[in-house]
Amino acid sequence: MAERTFERKVVKSFNGKKEKQAFYRGHKFKGNEKRVKELTDAGYLEKVEIPKVESGVKNVKPETADQLKHVGGGYYELPNGEKVQGKENAEKALAEAGE
């Protein structure tokens, strides 16, 4: 899985020793979670809550999250073994099967 990149506004100019370049107030800084946290704690980047993402199916209603299995490529597997493309379509098919 690729590492997530975060972008923050520079609030205090600094020379990035790891990046080997200067960052000026008002510009954007892009980096991984660890580097952004390090620079934010030091007061160089704006403080913004870094959202935590749970693995597996995201943004699905709790009652359907345990019934849908994400199998990759935008496809979801229903409890009956049927594969459906798209989260909304999978939720709809699951609701129809439950009626």
Side-chain angles (χ1 to χ4, degrees):
M1 182 198 260
E3 192 170 306
R4 292 180 59 192
T5 302
F6 297 89
E7 184 175 296
R8 298 291 182 261
K9 184 178 176 183
V10 177
V11 294
K12 182 178 174 185
S13 298
F14 67 97
N15 290 320
K17 302 295 182 191
K18 293 181 181 179
E19 299 80 17
K20 298 188 187 312
Q21 87 179 72
F23 294 93
Y24 299 100
R25 187 171 42 125
H27 291 172
K28 296 287 182 180
F29 174 84
K30 290 183 183 180
N32 63 27
E33 182 177 7
K34 182 180 177 183
R35 183 68 172 146
V36 168
K37 182 174 181 352
E38 180 181 297
L39 292 171
T40 301
D41 291 346
Y44 293 109
L45 303 179
E46 69 180 341
K47 293 187 182 204
V48 176
E49 183 81 24
I50 297 176
K52 297 289 182 188
V53 178
E54 295 178 16
S55 62
V57 180
K58 302 172 206 79
N59 300 325
V60 177
K61 297 176 184 107
E63 62 272 6
T64 61
D66 57 344
Q67 297 176 359
L68 293 177
K69 180 181 176 189
H70 186 258
V71 292
Y75 284 88
Y76 291 83
E77 186 175 328
L78 301 177
N80 64 4
E82 179 185 358
K83 289 183 182 176
V84 180
Q85 186 174 16
K87 179 176 68 174
E88 291 177 3
N89 291 337
E91 288 176 339
K92 185 187 241 183
L94 187 62
E96 290 172 0
E99 291 178 352

